[in-house]
């Protein structure tokens, strides 16, 4: 095989093999992520159904803190909760003590009702509470996706490590072949035909 052709295939090998390896690892992580997201979503819906009933109590959507104490015992360890009055004022929030100082836009409260929203770190769902077919408030439930975040972080580090290893091993293999097929023959020819130096 001519040197030019061999170098061309070596360059092609260096470009293709690492790319295929990285793509395969990425596809594997993506497929796992889709399955994991589905499993997490089903778990979220199951847990949400268990904590949904206490949030339907219309007395919760007032500024009386004694009524909200029950939530701290039954729900806070499972999810983060925000309760809104029908006019948008926050009457209870697990992550804040500034109750009654924040008011949400009503159009934001009505937007996305009953729709489970999944982000990188949270599952979130929002629903209204009715009394005699009139809305008295809204509740928003958020659950952290701790398992997924930890897994993605660990797998991302693994993919970076494996990708670096593939690039390194590919480069090492090509360097070894170049050294064997080109450098050594050149050194041999140089030594073989080097003119004999006469002593003075």
């Amino acid at each position: 095989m001519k040197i030019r052709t061999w170098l061309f295939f070596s360059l092609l090998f260096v470009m293709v093999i690492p790319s295929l390896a990285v793509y395969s690892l990425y596809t594997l992580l993506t497929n796992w992520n889709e399955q994991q997201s589905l499993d997490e979503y089903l778990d979220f819906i199951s847990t949400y159904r268990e904590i949904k009933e206490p949030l339907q109590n219309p007395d919760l959507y007032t500024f009386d803190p004694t009524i909200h104490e029950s939530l701290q015992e039954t729900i806070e360890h499972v999810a983060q909760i925000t309760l809104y009055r029908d006019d948008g004022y926050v009457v209870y929030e697990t992550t804040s003590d500034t109750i009654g100082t924040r008011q949400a836009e009503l159009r934001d409260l009505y937007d996305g009702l009953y729709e489970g929203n999944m982000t990188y770190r949270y599952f979130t769902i929002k629903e209204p509470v009715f009394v005699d077919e009139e809305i008295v408030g809204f509740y928003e439930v958020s659950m952290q996706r701790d398992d997924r975040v930890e897994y993605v972080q660990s797998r991302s580090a693994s993919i970076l490590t494996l990708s670096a290893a593939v690039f390194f091993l590919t480069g090492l293999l090509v360097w070894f072949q170049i050294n064997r097929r080109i450098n050594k023959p050149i050194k041999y020819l140089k030594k073989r035909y080097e003119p004999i130096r006469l002593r003075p």
Side-chain angles (χ1 to χ4, degrees), residues 34-45:
E34 292 176 356
Q35 182 61 43
Q36 183 73 5
S37 296
L38 177 60
D39 294 341
E40 283 184 301
Y41 184 78
L42 295 176
D43 290 341
F44 168 72
I45 294 299

Side-chain angles (χ1 to χ4, degrees), residues 41-110:
Y41 184 78
L42 295 176
D43 290 341
F44 168 72
I45 294 299
S46 177
T47 305
Y48 170 68
R49 287 175 179 173
E50 295 177 1
I51 66 176
K52 178 179 178 179
E53 185 176 352
L55 297 176
Q56 298 288 334
N57 181 4
D59 295 334
L60 293 173
Y61 300 89
T62 64
F63 288 109
D64 187 355
T66 59
I67 300 177
H68 302 139
E69 292 178 357
S70 60
L71 296 178
Q72 298 176 358
E73 300 175 357
T74 60
I75 297 178
E76 275 193 357
H77 67 284
V78 178
Q80 297 179 8
I81 302 167
T82 304
L83 305 182
Y84 302 89
R85 208 166 61 176
D86 60 339
D87 57 2
Y89 275 102
V90 176
V91 298
Y92 179 78
E93 191 171 18
T94 56
T95 58
S96 175
D97 295 329
T98 57
I99 306 304
T101 61
R102 184 165 67 87
Q103 184 179 19
E105 294 287 342
L106 290 180
R107 62 181 180 182
D108 294 334
L109 285 177
Y110 283 93

Side-chain angles (χ1 to χ4, degrees), residues 1-168:
M1 183 184 295
K2 294 182 178 180
I3 292 180
R4 181 181 298 178
T5 305
W6 185 86
L7 288 175
F8 170 77
F9 282 109
S10 297
L11 179 61
L12 188 64
F13 178 80
V14 170
M15 294 175 60
V16 171
I17 296 301
S19 300
L20 288 176
V22 172
Y23 176 76
S24 300
L25 293 171
Y26 174 79
T27 302
L28 182 64
L29 181 62
T30 301
N31 292 337
W32 179 91
N33 181 52
E34 292 176 356
Q35 182 61 43
Q36 183 73 5
S37 296
L38 177 60
D39 294 341
E40 283 184 301
Y41 184 78
L42 295 176
D43 290 341
F44 168 72
I45 294 299
S46 177
T47 305
Y48 170 68
R49 287 175 179 173
E50 295 177 1
I51 66 176
K52 178 179 178 179
E53 185 176 352
L55 297 176
Q56 298 288 334
N57 181 4
D59 295 334
L60 293 173
Y61 300 89
T62 64
F63 288 109
D64 187 355
T66 59
I67 300 177
H68 302 139
E69 292 178 357
S70 60
L71 296 178
Q72 298 176 358
E73 300 175 357
T74 60
I75 297 178
E76 275 193 357
H77 67 284
V78 178
Q80 297 179 8
I81 302 167
T82 304
L83 305 182
Y84 302 89
R85 208 166 61 176
D86 60 339
D87 57 2
Y89 275 102
V90 176
V91 298
Y92 179 78
E93 191 171 18
T94 56
T95 58
S96 175
D97 295 329
T98 57
I99 306 304
T101 61
R102 184 165 67 87
Q103 184 179 19
E105 294 287 342
L106 290 180
R107 62 181 180 182
D108 294 334
L109 285 177
Y110 283 93
D111 184 38
L113 290 176
Y114 303 103
E115 296 178 3
N117 183 30
M118 182 171 59
T119 63
Y120 178 71
R121 291 187 175 273
Y122 291 96
F123 285 116
T124 305
I125 193 167
K126 180 174 52 181
E127 290 192 23
V129 176
F130 293 90
V131 172
D132 297 329
E133 299 184 355
E134 291 187 5
I135 295 178
V136 296
F138 303 83
Y139 61 83
E140 187 174 29
V141 178
S142 298
M143 295 183 186
Q144 287 188 336
R145 305 175 65 190
D146 294 331
D147 293 340
R148 179 185 182 278
V149 172
E150 292 177 3
Y151 180 89
V152 169
Q153 290 175 346
S154 63
R155 288 302 180 270
S156 297
S158 299
I159 286 178
L160 289 175
T161 302
L162 289 174
S163 299
V166 169
F167 276 99
F168 175 77

